[in-house]
Amino acid sequence: MAKKILFVASEAAPFVVTGGLGDVIGALPAAIMNKSDMDVRVVLPFYRDISEKHMSEIEYLCYTYVSLGWRNQYCGIFRTKYKNVTFYFIDNEYYFKREGCYGHFDDGERFAYFCKSALEILPVIDFFPDVIHAHDWQSALVPIYLRTLFSDSENYRRIRTAFTIHNIEYQGKFDLSILGDVFALAPYHGGIVEWNGCINLMKGAIEVCDKLLTVSPTYAAEIFSPFYSHGLSPILEKNSGKLGGILNGIDFETYNPKTDMSVFCQFDARSFKEGKLENKLALQRQFGLTENADVPLIAVISRLVNHKGMDILAGAADEIINRGAQLAVLGTGDYIYEDFFYHLAQRHPGMASTNLMFNPDTARKLYAASDMFLMPSKSEPCGLAQMIASRYGSVPIVRETGGLYDSIHDCSFGHGNGFTFSGYTSNDIINSVDRAKALYYNKENWHALVNEVMTTDFSWDKSAGHYINTYKEI
Ligand code: GLC
């Protein structure tokens, strides 16, 4: 019989996306369904921020009540289909009719309610999956509740679980005193979630899940070291037997420069020479950069925070520009970096442009217009931007970590699809940009590289196969 898989996650494209997790949950279920006879469905919170465009396609199904400890809460169930995948939405206005998905004082309670609801609705929607796949700390309580609150029920006991770490930095930590009150866990269950003197939901999911995954093979190896694990390496050591890494892909339909209506001019691997040039000149105009076909245009599209390597980029940026490249930065983040890049643009009129916002349409324009894409992350579980940049013919220059190491290979050693560096210093960035520029001025070789970059297969197809095998195994 066809296997049934249920994803439980806190965001999914196109409904609500704040980062890479949303892109993955929006694309992977459909990719698995395309490649197998598995029935994959998704449960999400019904946030107020779900885009207007999709709201009208979401229908009310029914409601139930969900109890958690002393609370008993309304739980509306909404439903829609997107790319043939059924998405369910958990509706409770008290918890989800707020601005933004995360960052509220009671996030622990909100996502505890969400996880309990995702399990309670199974008989209501008449879908008992073979595997539940939970993602990051917001849905970590799903495998935990299955093995605690639901362990007496035969229907629930036979469900296997997979848990994916998209970013180990955010673990869902709370004071031990709210174990019973907020999470409805008994003191004798405390050991599952307790770590270093507090409740750590990610730690609990790592302990109880049947299969532990992360989003690239290299990150799966890196998180054993304290440098990357944010305190969880001993727990990962203990559970290493069930850990695996599967590289993410990107949605090749959504990210397609040939059909993308937000870029200035559509192009593909055959027409990129003229197409990218037109995009570059138009973007230089829009971004206040000197219109010049021959100066290399380097893009940075990122959250402006430390672990994305903004500290070493800040040390390299002036030098990169002084050596004759344009730098266009798009993103928001920590004040020190927003301030730094704002003043960088002031210092280098016509050569640097800073746009302190996140706008997906502008991002696509910049991917399409730029010659090179810089991503100097300190750690990167997978990273999707380097894949999107590749699809739009912007040659990635990346630090060799996590998914960046697994997806981009330096072209200086023969066959490659970008430039890479391993050290974590500003000089490493400057040297790599120099190497890229040297090739850039040799048009024939550069075009061969862009062609290679654009035709690298970062679609979900291959990874979907790995997920299918993983589900069959568990
Ligand atoms: C997180 C990680 C990023 C990864 C994404 C999707 O945002 O930081 O590297 O690509 O999750 O898995």
Side-chain angles (χ1 to χ4, degrees):
M1 228 181 39
K3 293 275 174 248
K4 292 186 266 184
I5 316 291
L6 186 68
F7 277 53
V8 182
S10 56
E11 53 180 272
F15 307 105
V16 58
V17 189
T18 72
L21 171 67
D23 276 326
V24 171
I25 307 301
L28 175 58
I32 295 170
M33 284 185 63
N34 278 339
K35 227 183 145 74
S36 70
D37 62 353
M38 290 182 173
D39 182 357
V40 190
R41 306 188 188 184
V42 184
V43 185
L44 297 171
F46 201 27
Y47 299 110
R48 193 201 71 175
D49 286 2
I50 288 176
S51 54
E52 204 48 53
K53 193 168 122 215
H54 298 288
M55 224 24 145
S56 57
E57 289 150 24
I58 300 175
E59 56 168 14
Y60 170 76
L61 197 62
C62 58
Y63 74 92
T64 178
Y65 276 85
V66 169
S67 64
L68 189 61
W70 54 269
R71 287 176 295 275
N72 192 35
Q73 302 273 26
Y74 168 86
C75 170
I77 307 170
F78 284 69
R79 181 180 63 182
T80 193
K81 264 202 173 189
Y82 172 72
K83 290 192 176 173
N84 212 22
V85 176
T86 302
F87 285 78
Y88 297 100
F89 297 85
I90 303 291
D91 175 40
N92 179 301
E93 295 196 349
Y94 169 64
Y95 288 130
F96 301 128
K97 198 175 178 185
R98 307 183 188 183
E99 197 184 326
C101 303
Y102 318 118
H104 296 282
F105 77 99
D106 54 351
D107 276 1
E109 183 179 329
R110 295 169 72 225
F111 289 105
Y113 162 81
F114 170 63
C115 291
K116 182 76 179 341
S117 302
L119 292 169
E120 291 277 2
I121 66 166
L122 301 185
V124 183
I125 60 174
D126 193 23
F127 187 77
F128 271 96
D130 298 286
V131 176
I132 295 192
H133 192 164
H135 301 260
D136 276 354
W137 80 262
Q138 293 88 349
S139 54
L141 278 164
V142 169
I144 297 169
Y145 284 158
L146 262 184
R147 298 294 164 249
T148 54
L149 309 185
F150 289 82
S151 64
D152 286 341
S153 151
E154 186 49 40
N155 278 339
Y156 285 94
R157 223 183 4 238
R158 44 170 293 280
I159 299 175
R160 304 289 102 189
T161 57
F163 179 71
T164 293
I165 300 172
H166 291 262
N167 192 338
I168 206 164
E169 200 173 338
Y170 308 105
Q171 299 172 358
K173 293 184 191 172
F174 302 92
D175 195 277
L176 269 178
S177 64
I178 62 170
L179 184 71
D181 188 31
V182 171
F183 298 113
L185 290 170
Y188 54 87
H189 287 139
I192 297 176
V193 289
E194 191 198 335
W195 182 238
N196 283 342
C198 62
I199 296 172
N200 185 318
L201 299 180
M202 183 173 272
K203 180 261 181 185
I206 294 172
E207 296 272 35
V208 300
C209 70
D210 296 304
K211 181 74 190 178
L212 179 61
L213 290 165
T214 185
V215 285
S216 69
T218 295
Y219 193 63
E222 284 174 343
I223 49 179
F224 288 108
S225 89
F227 180 83
Y228 289 103
S229 78
H230 293 269
L232 285 180
S233 36
I235 302 298
L236 290 161
E237 289 287 351
K238 188 176 150 207
N239 290 282
S240 60
K242 59 183 182 186
L243 174 64
I246 303 178
L247 192 69
N248 287 331
I250 54 168
D251 188 332
F252 260 33
E253 269 173 46
T254 311
Y255 295 111
N256 182 357
K258 184 76 186 159
T259 53
D260 192 333
M261 295 317 286
S262 43
V263 304
F264 293 108
C265 155
Q266 284 79 35
F267 61 97
D268 61 13
R270 272 188 300 267
S271 60
F272 71 81
K273 283 178 219 160
E274 309 77 38
K276 281 194 68 73
L277 181 59
E278 200 175 323
N279 277 294
K280 180 171 171 178
L281 295 172
L283 183 115
Q284 285 172 327
R285 216 171 304 135
Q286 180 181 327
F287 273 33
L289 294 164
T290 309
E291 278 176 61
N292 183 339
D294 294 325
V295 61
L297 171 59
I298 304 176
V300 173
I301 303 176
S302 177
R303 271 185 302 126
L304 306 178
V305 295
N306 259 339
H307 85 256
K308 291 288 181 184
M310 291 303 125
D311 48 354
I312 56 169
L313 179 58
D318 284 283
E319 188 60 24
I320 289 172
I321 297 163
N322 290 337
R323 293 187 186 194
Q326 288 181 338
L327 193 65
V329 178
L330 177 68
T332 58
D334 290 346
Y335 175 74
I336 47 161
Y337 297 120
E338 293 196 352
D339 189 57
F340 172 82
F341 287 111
Y342 173 81
H343 285 103
L344 181 81
Q346 307 288 311
R347 281 198 296 283
H348 301 278
M351 288 299 279
S353 171
T354 296
N355 303 272
L356 297 174
M357 56 162 178
F358 188 72
N359 176 314
D361 280 353
T362 313
R364 286 158 182 260
K365 286 187 172 66
L366 185 50
Y367 284 121
S370 52
D371 300 298
M372 299 159 198
F373 186 80
L374 191 52
M375 203 164 166
S377 306
K378 185 181 274 176
S379 79
E380 196 61 72
C382 175
L384 302 175
Q386 80 279 17
M387 301 183 186
I388 303 170
S390 301
R391 183 96 167 121
Y392 287 73
S394 185
V395 176
I397 304 174
V398 306
R399 180 163 174 269
E400 292 162 15
T401 183
L404 295 174
Y405 182 76
D406 293 332
S407 57
I408 307 299
H409 307 287
D410 200 293
C411 60
S412 315
F413 311 110
H415 203 68
N417 58 344
F419 296 87
T420 71
F421 56 94
S422 61
Y424 191 70
T425 70
S426 301
N427 271 334
D428 284 285
I429 302 185
I430 295 167
N431 291 339
S432 303
V433 169
D434 279 349
R435 288 193 296 124
K437 271 169 47 200
L439 198 77
Y440 175 82
Y441 290 118
N442 177 335
K443 279 294 166 235
E444 199 176 316
N445 290 352
W446 184 256
H447 288 150
L449 176 61
V450 175
N451 182 63
E452 179 70 34
V453 164
M454 284 190 78
T455 50
T456 309
D457 184 6
F458 288 128
S459 72
W460 270 108
D461 194 55
K462 213 185 317 159
S463 307
H466 292 308
Y467 280 101
I468 292 165
N469 290 338
T470 304
Y471 298 144
K472 283 185 186 157
E473 264 167 43
I474 30 178

